Amino acid sequence: MEETPEVFTDLVESWSLVPENWRVVSVVFLLVLATALVAFVVSRVILALERRFQKTDNIWDDVFLHALRKPAVVFVWLQGVYWAAEIAYRYSEAEIFSFNDKLLELGFIWLIVWTILGAIRHAEKVLISPDKVKKPVDYTTLTAIGKLLRAVVVITAVLTAMQSLGYSISGVLAFGGVGGIAVGFAARDLLANFFGGFIVYMDKPFKVGDWVRSPDRNIEGTVEEIGWRITTIRTFDQRPLYVPNAVFSTVAVENPSRMRNRRISETIGVRYGDVHAVREIVNEIRSMLEGHEEIDTERTLIVNFLAFNDSSLDIMVYTFTKTTQWVKFHAVKEDVLLKISDIIESHGAEVAFPSRTLYVPDAVRVAAERAQSSSEHDDSDQAASDVPIKQPTGPGQTTRQGDAPGED
């Protein structure tokens, strides 16, 4: 390919009847036009192959062709423009064309990186799609591997580009080894978050889409993204919460999304006056739970008379539902509690509420009744003395309330 510009040089030399500048411009124009045509053909060919290979069971040919199509077109343009620049440089010797070789090398490195990163991105989409593979890969694990591969590709490309520009890689690595110590002390929090994210990827205490919460911190919500520095959690009031990854290495994290059942744990009290029906109530509640279609009878199921409480006879109800969905769980719990209420009512009993009964000895009760009756008798006498006295009056005389008879 390095000899190809000689062909165009001979073409320029053979057109002796045309001025040299016009010959160079014409050859450059034809070369760019040919490059555009070849790029168009390459694009159509790869696109046709991509559509054809989509019908096969092999997924990796689709990944490779999808990642290769655009870089291949750009490669044709890069090579064609390089040849055109080489021809222009031979006849003009402008300084701007002196960087053709370096630009070609850097462009070629960039195309390789572009192709590999495109293949990684498309492979991620394929491996998590249930339509493409029988067993989709875990999204969190695949994201971690993809980020690691991207980092390796980019670092390798940067070192290669520096080497092509004339820099010594050994010197860069030596500088990185000495400067890494200083950077480590200055960015220890950043490194802590980085390794915290790495631990999350390795241990997998949660993944994207899980509901997590921490009893040690005010953290609860749905995981949206696990980055190298922070993890994004969407709280239940729809606010984004950004948690540094280093936090997860020092706090306890619960993952309710992975629980197998939800628990119903209630203490129900009946009145002391219904003690004769407690045994039947307990047995009937237990039978109801054992026959309930939403209760997991393979888990612990406890219905027992628990204790003599201050104002109630307590019955413990402890069981697990089959569902783990939050909304459906509350519907099942409501149904269970209402059925327990119906059972208690069917036995003529009632659910107890906090109350107190005061027992008074008989002697105190009699003395209180006598004192009350005496007080009522005194009140009646006082009321009678307050009634106004009315007597007949003679002509022209009136009697007013509070006036003595015979007074005007």
Side-chain angles (χ1 to χ4, degrees):
M1 298 178 71
E2 293 179 355
E3 297 178 356
T4 304
E6 299 293 338
V7 177
F8 296 102
T9 303
D10 296 339
L11 184 61
V12 173
E13 297 294 339
S14 64
W15 294 351
S16 58
L17 299 178
V18 182
E20 184 177 277
N21 293 336
W22 286 99
R23 283 180 284 170
V24 173
V25 172
S26 300
V27 171
V28 169
F29 174 78
L30 292 175
L31 184 58
V32 173
L33 180 61
T35 301
L37 293 175
V38 173
F40 177 78
V41 172
V42 170
S43 176
R44 291 301 177 181
V45 169
I46 296 179
L47 183 61
L49 291 175
E50 186 177 356
R51 291 175 179 175
R52 183 176 180 180
F53 284 117
Q54 283 180 351
K55 301 178 182 180
T56 63
D57 295 333
N58 189 358
I59 61 175
W60 298 112
D61 53 5
D62 300 339
V63 172
F64 176 73
L65 289 174
H66 183 78
L68 182 64
R69 182 162 58 91
K70 291 182 179 180
V73 174
V74 175
F75 172 75
V76 173
W77 275 103
L78 180 66
Q79 189 65 52
V81 171
Y82 168 75
W83 287 336
E86 280 292 302
I87 295 174
Y89 179 56
R90 291 188 181 185
Y91 290 94
S92 65
E93 297 184 356
E95 291 296 330
I96 192 174
F97 297 114
S98 61
F99 301 99
N100 289 342
D101 294 336
K102 296 298 181 183
L103 290 177
L104 181 64
E105 293 178 6
L106 295 178
F108 188 69
I109 295 172
W110 173 61
L111 288 175
I112 293 177
V113 173
W114 187 10
T115 304
I116 296 176
L117 294 181
I120 293 173
R121 182 174 62 255
H122 192 62
E124 289 177 345
K125 295 180 180 179
V126 170
L127 292 176
I128 63 174
S129 175
D131 299 332
K132 298 291 185 179
V133 293
K134 295 181 179 179
K135 294 182 179 180
V137 182
D138 179 65
Y139 178 78
T140 304
T141 304
L142 189 63
T143 302
I145 296 175
K147 289 181 178 179
L148 183 61
L149 291 176
R150 289 187 183 94
V152 172
V153 171
V154 171
I155 292 174
T156 305
V158 170
L159 294 177
T160 305
M162 294 180 67
Q163 181 70 26
S164 65
L165 292 175
Y167 296 97
S168 176
I169 296 181
S170 59
V172 173
L173 296 177
F175 174 77
V178 175
I181 300 175
V183 173
F185 282 107
R188 56 181 179 275
D189 293 337
L190 181 63
L191 293 176
N193 292 326
F194 174 81
F195 286 108
F198 184 74
I199 292 174
V200 170
Y201 282 122
M202 295 298 294
D203 294 342
K204 300 179 184 178
F206 53 82
K207 59 182 179 63
V208 174
D210 282 355
W211 165 26
V212 297
R213 64 184 176 190
S214 173
D216 301 334
R217 298 286 185 90
N218 189 20
I219 299 174
E220 185 171 10
T222 304
V223 179
E224 285 192 343
E225 182 182 1
I226 304 174
W228 286 116
R229 192 179 69 85
I230 59 174
T231 295
T232 304
I233 298 175
R234 181 71 60 175
T235 61
F236 293 132
D237 56 358
Q238 299 304 309
R239 292 182 299 175
L241 179 64
Y242 303 100
V243 183
N245 291 331
V247 172
F248 296 112
S249 61
T250 58
V251 301
V253 178
E254 295 180 1
N255 192 340
S257 300
R258 297 181 183 177
M259 60 184 176
R260 294 171 292 184
N261 304 89
R262 285 189 179 272
R263 182 183 64 177
I264 298 177
S265 179
E266 299 289 336
T267 300
I268 301 171
V270 298
R271 302 176 305 175
Y272 268 85
D274 303 323
V275 64
H276 61 280
V278 171
R279 188 185 302 276
E280 289 78 7
I281 292 173
V282 169
N283 292 334
E284 192 166 342
I285 292 175
R286 185 183 298 109
S287 300
M288 181 272 294
L289 292 176
E290 290 175 349
H292 201 291
E293 59 181 4
E294 292 295 336
I295 298 299
D296 190 354
T297 55
E298 295 182 358
R299 302 293 177 188
T300 303
L301 193 154
I302 302 175
V303 182
N304 288 106
F305 172 57
L306 184 62
F308 293 95
N309 211 332
D310 293 339
S311 58
S312 64
L313 302 173
D314 290 345
I315 299 174
M316 181 181 69
V317 178
Y318 188 93
T319 186
F320 291 88
T321 63
K322 294 179 180 180
T323 182
T324 59
Q325 299 178 6
W326 180 248
V327 177
K328 187 176 180 180
F329 162 74
H330 282 286
V332 174
K333 184 177 180 180
E334 175 187 284
D335 181 66
V336 168
L337 294 179
L338 290 177
K339 287 183 178 180
I340 292 175
S341 177
D342 294 339
I343 292 172
I344 295 174
E345 185 177 353
S346 66
H347 288 82
E350 295 181 7
V351 177
F353 55 87
S355 60
R356 293 182 181 272
T357 303
L358 181 63
Y359 293 94
V360 182
D362 294 339
V364 177
R365 185 183 305 168
V366 171
E369 291 176 354
R370 288 179 179 177
Q372 183 178 1
S373 62
S374 176
S375 175
E376 292 176 354
H377 180 70
D378 293 342
D379 292 342
S380 63
D381 291 344
Q382 181 68 27
S385 64
D386 292 338
V387 175
I389 300 174
K390 296 183 179 180
Q391 292 184 354
T393 59
Q397 293 181 345
T398 59
T399 304
R400 295 173 299 177
Q401 181 176 353
D403 294 340
E407 293 183 355
D408 293 337

